[in-house]
Amino acid sequence: MNIIIIGLGLIGGSIAKDLSEIKGINILGFDKNHQSIENALANKTINGFIDNLDELTIEKYNDSLVIIATPPRASLEILRALSSLFNSNITITDTSSTKSALEEILLEFKYPNNIVLSHPVAGSHLSGQENSLKGLFKNKEVILSYGQSVLSKHIEKVRNLWKSMNARISNLEGNVHDYVFAHSSHLPHVVSYALLMTLKNLDQTDISKFSGGGLDEFLRLASSSSEMWADIFTLNKENIISAIDALEENLDIIKSKINKDTQEIEALLLDLKNFKEENY
Amino acid sequence: MNIIIIGLGLIGGSIAKDLSEIKGINILGFDKNHQSIENALANKTINGFIDNLDELTIEKYNDSLVIIATPPRASLEILRALSSLFNSNITITDTSSTKSALEEILLEFKYPNNIVLSHPVAGSHLSGQENSLKGLFKNKEVILSYGQSVLSKHIEKVRNLWKSMNARISNLEGNVHDYVFAHSSHLPHVVSYALLMTLKNLDQTDISKFSGGGLDEFLRLASSSSEMWADIFTLNKENIISAIDALEENLDIIKSKINKDTQEIEALLLDLKNFKEENY
């Protein structure tokens, strides 16, 4: 079987490292950065490469699994560029943290039967192939999104891909996926950036010395790839903006309770502590 | 030398564990919860206890160092209850995360010459004596706040206390302390609670399954003592409310940039990533 990994960054590079340990797979890379291809060839994590996505229409690629592992906005362009492969025998998946915009393309093409979207909930605040890791997906959640028209052979191929890397698999419809991740992942990243802006605007320059536990962990998220997060924020903007609105309402509630008395704020904090311990 | 630890919780209990390893110190506990006294006696981390703070006026306690290690609002009451010891030979310190309200009492008593406020930037989201730890303060920052009227012998006694536990020592005036910590520590806690409120209000109950990295670390702060954080929020309310206001303004800026285009938000995120890497 041929597996074509489009984008050999942190995620694509880590997939290649895992798959290169499995026999009987021919792993091909595609990356506009030729240095990434050369590194992956040198590391023997890919067996070869393609120069042009049009090559995938050649007969010998008929059994392929294509993984789009580029930043989210590039994934839109690439999915569209692969439209000649829609409803073929080739299985197509991706690794993007947002799904709604990809699903708009699927809608436009009347839900091709060979596309299964994947979101491996794994990564790092570091990016790029040089930070890719063997075992990155082990025991990590991978969320699959696909419509009713998708053929089960394609679903199985994508499930088996992630299972071979010891990931755990869940299903969420694309719009539910984007709503859930707006709150569980995208909102915490927004907050990390907003906190950094707040600290950056202060006169006091030595805040970091006095940060104690907590702040460092919050700010770590802001070291992530700016390109990827700009893509995620704009591609999931409706959900994220409504999540920020809800957060701001809750900040206002906390402000008003802080202004009143200790008992009222203490009751709220205790209620939230209990909720946290039961659910997270 | 007698060291009297008022409050044998996480901080007081950890101080007792460290000091009990040093020879020539008589460690006495005071706690309204008699079980805490009994546990500390059983563990041999204190040598004895006092039943009443009035005992401290007795001649034999003349050389004492008194450490107030109670929740912040209780610390106000206890500082006031110790007013008969103000300007005596006894050295008084505390461990509170907020200083302005304590300094109001000092102002009221015309800045006693024997009070050196301490904030050990160490702790845990766990609280109580059962979670106290030997070595909790090792390589941690302790911030001292004291006015010009304080005698150097008292300053040295408090510096030596923390040095004996291998802490690092800084100085900040009380009002600067509360401004800095409103941003570096109190604001991240507010955000953790507000994020939890936002998740609690959602229909979706399985968010935790899809949280990935980041969210867990944010929410961990909400497991801290509700009593302590209600005290901190209300005792430092002016600084915290203005920090929340600044955060909300920055959230609004992010929202407007998300709404515009990818390039504008990406430029902001890259700028913040660079700021983070240079400063934190």
Side-chain angles (χ1 to χ4, degrees):
Chain A
M1 182 171 74
N2 292 298
I3 295 189
I4 294 98
I5 303 173
I6 302 176
L8 291 167
L10 177 78
I11 298 296
S14 298
I15 293 172
K17 283 184 178 169
D18 274 4
L19 296 182
S20 64
E21 310 241 305
I22 301 171
K23 284 182 184 157
I25 303 176
N26 187 40
I27 307 170
L28 302 175
F30 175 83
D31 201 305
K32 63 184 177 186
N33 179 350
H34 210 78
Q35 190 60 52
S36 295
I37 296 282
E38 280 172 28
N39 293 343
L41 284 170
N43 296 334
K44 297 187 179 166
T45 56
I46 61 173
N47 306 108
F49 61 95
I50 57 171
D51 281 318
N52 193 308
L53 293 178
D54 293 339
E55 291 179 41
L56 296 175
T57 55
I58 300 169
E59 177 72 23
K60 69 168 176 175
Y61 292 121
N62 184 40
D63 70 337
S64 297
L65 169 59
V66 176
I67 306 167
I68 307 170
T70 53
R73 202 164 277 280
S75 297
L76 297 180
E77 285 173 36
I78 288 168
L79 183 65
R80 191 177 287 279
L82 296 176
S83 63
S84 61
L85 306 176
F86 289 178
N87 295 307
S88 74
N89 195 48
I90 289 179
T91 308
I92 299 172
T93 191
D94 78 312
T95 63
S96 184
S97 308
T98 59
K99 297 302 177 201
S100 305
L102 290 164
E103 291 205 337
E104 277 175 34
I105 296 175
L106 302 186
L107 170 65
E108 186 183 328
F109 286 88
K110 296 179 183 148
Y111 296 108
N113 65 20
N114 61 335
I115 301 174
V116 177
L117 302 179
S118 306
H119 174 198
V121 188
S124 164
H125 59 279
L126 300 171
S127 52
Q129 191 185 32
E130 62 277 22
N131 294 305
S132 65
L133 282 174
K134 204 186 288 184
L136 181 64
F137 308 102
K138 189 177 176 182
N139 296 325
K140 298 288 165 56
E141 209 70 31
V142 175
I143 295 133
L144 304 185
S145 305
Y146 49 85
Q148 293 183 333
S149 55
V150 177
L151 300 179
S152 60
K153 68 174 180 178
H154 296 297
I155 299 169
E156 281 314 299
K157 217 166 191 172
V158 175
R159 291 181 70 89
N160 288 337
L161 167 75
W162 295 112
K163 275 187 186 167
S164 75
M165 294 185 271
N166 299 306
R168 294 189 304 227
I169 293 166
S170 312
N171 297 299
L172 279 182
E173 285 175 44
N175 61 339
V176 179
H177 172 283
D178 280 12
Y179 173 80
V180 166
F181 277 85
H183 293 88
S184 67
S185 166
H186 309 167
L187 183 60
H189 278 82
V190 167
V191 169
S192 178
Y193 290 112
L195 258 173
L196 260 181
M197 282 175 84
T198 307
L199 297 173
K200 189 168 182 275
N201 292 341
L202 294 180
D203 296 335
Q204 206 76 20
T205 54
D206 53 358
I207 299 267
S208 65
K209 187 175 172 188
F210 304 114
S211 60
L215 184 65
D216 290 354
E217 293 169 356
F218 271 48
L219 301 186
R220 185 182 60 80
L221 299 186
S223 294
S224 309
S225 158
S226 311
E227 180 189 3
M228 185 176 82
W229 282 97
D231 282 0
I232 292 172
F233 289 167
T234 49
L235 289 175
N236 197 19
K237 75 169 102 175
E238 285 79 9
N239 284 313
I240 292 174
I241 287 172
S242 91
I244 299 174
D245 287 341
L247 182 76
E248 289 183 318
E249 279 171 32
N250 292 325
L251 287 169
D252 288 339
I253 291 170
I254 291 175
K255 270 195 293 191
S256 76
K257 287 192 190 282
I258 288 176
N259 247 330
K260 272 188 199 151
D261 62 60
T262 315
Q263 280 180 326
E264 206 166 304
I265 184 77
E266 188 177 340
L268 175 67
L269 302 190
L270 190 59
D271 182 49
L272 291 167
K273 178 183 162 89
N274 291 336
F275 172 76
K276 196 257 168 196
E277 278 160 16
E278 279 163 30
N279 294 278
Y280 287 90
Chain B
M1 180 171 74
N2 291 297
I3 294 189
I4 293 97
I5 303 172
I6 302 176
L8 292 167
L10 176 77
I11 298 296
S14 298
I15 293 172
K17 283 183 178 167
D18 275 1
L19 296 183
S20 65
E21 310 239 304
I22 302 172
K23 284 184 184 156
I25 302 176
N26 186 41
I27 308 170
L28 303 175
F30 175 83
D31 200 306
K32 63 185 178 186
N33 178 350
H34 210 76
Q35 190 61 53
S36 294
I37 296 282
E38 280 172 28
N39 294 342
L41 283 171
N43 296 334
K44 298 188 178 167
T45 55
I46 61 173
N47 306 108
F49 61 95
I50 57 171
D51 282 317
N52 192 308
L53 294 179
D54 293 339
E55 290 178 41
L56 296 175
T57 55
I58 299 170
E59 176 73 21
K60 70 168 175 174
Y61 292 121
N62 183 40
D63 70 338
S64 297
L65 168 60
V66 176
I67 306 167
I68 307 170
T70 54
R73 203 165 278 279
S75 297
L76 297 179
E77 286 172 36
I78 287 168
L79 184 64
R80 193 177 285 282
L82 295 177
S83 63
S84 61
L85 306 177
F86 288 0
N87 295 307
S88 74
N89 195 47
I90 289 179
T91 308
I92 299 172
T93 191
D94 78 313
T95 63
S96 184
S97 308
T98 58
K99 297 303 177 199
S100 305
L102 290 164
E103 290 206 337
E104 277 174 32
I105 295 176
L106 302 187
L107 170 64
E108 186 184 328
F109 286 89
K110 295 178 183 150
Y111 295 108
N113 67 20
N114 61 335
I115 302 174
V116 176
L117 302 179
S118 306
H119 175 199
V121 188
S124 166
H125 60 279
L126 301 171
S127 53
Q129 192 185 32
E130 62 277 22
N131 295 305
S132 64
L133 282 174
K134 203 187 290 187
L136 181 64
F137 308 103
K138 189 177 175 181
N139 295 327
K140 298 289 167 54
E141 208 72 31
V142 175
I143 295 133
L144 304 185
S145 306
Y146 48 84
Q148 292 183 333
S149 55
V150 176
L151 300 179
S152 60
K153 68 174 181 178
H154 297 297
I155 299 169
E156 280 314 298
K157 217 166 190 172
V158 174
R159 290 181 70 90
N160 288 336
L161 166 75
W162 294 111
K163 275 188 188 167
S164 75
M165 295 185 270
N166 299 305
R168 294 190 303 227
I169 293 167
S170 311
N171 297 301
L172 280 181
E173 285 175 43
N175 61 340
V176 179
H177 172 283
D178 280 11
Y179 173 79
V180 167
F181 278 85
H183 293 87
S184 67
S185 166
H186 309 167
L187 183 60
H189 278 81
V190 167
V191 168
S192 178
Y193 289 112
L195 259 173
L196 261 181
M197 283 175 84
T198 306
L199 298 173
K200 189 168 182 275
N201 292 342
L202 294 180
D203 296 335
Q204 205 75 22
T205 55
D206 54 356
I207 300 263
S208 64
K209 187 176 173 188
F210 305 114
S211 61
L215 185 64
D216 290 355
E217 293 169 357
F218 270 49
L219 301 186
R220 185 182 60 81
L221 299 186
S223 294
S224 309
S225 158
S226 310
E227 180 190 2
M228 185 176 83
W229 282 97
D231 282 1
I232 292 171
F233 289 167
T234 50
L235 289 175
N236 196 20
K237 74 169 99 175
E238 286 79 9
N239 284 313
I240 292 174
I241 287 173
S242 91
I244 299 173
D245 286 342
L247 181 76
E248 289 183 319
E249 279 171 32
N250 291 326
L251 288 168
D252 288 340
I253 291 171
I254 290 175
K255 271 196 293 192
S256 76
K257 287 191 190 283
I258 289 176
N259 246 330
K260 272 187 200 152
D261 62 61
T262 314
Q263 281 181 326
E264 206 167 303
I265 184 79
E266 187 177 340
L268 175 67
L269 302 190
L270 189 59
D271 182 49
L272 291 167
K273 178 181 160 89
N274 291 336
F275 172 76
K276 196 258 171 197
E277 279 160 15
E278 279 162 30
N279 293 279
Y280 287 90

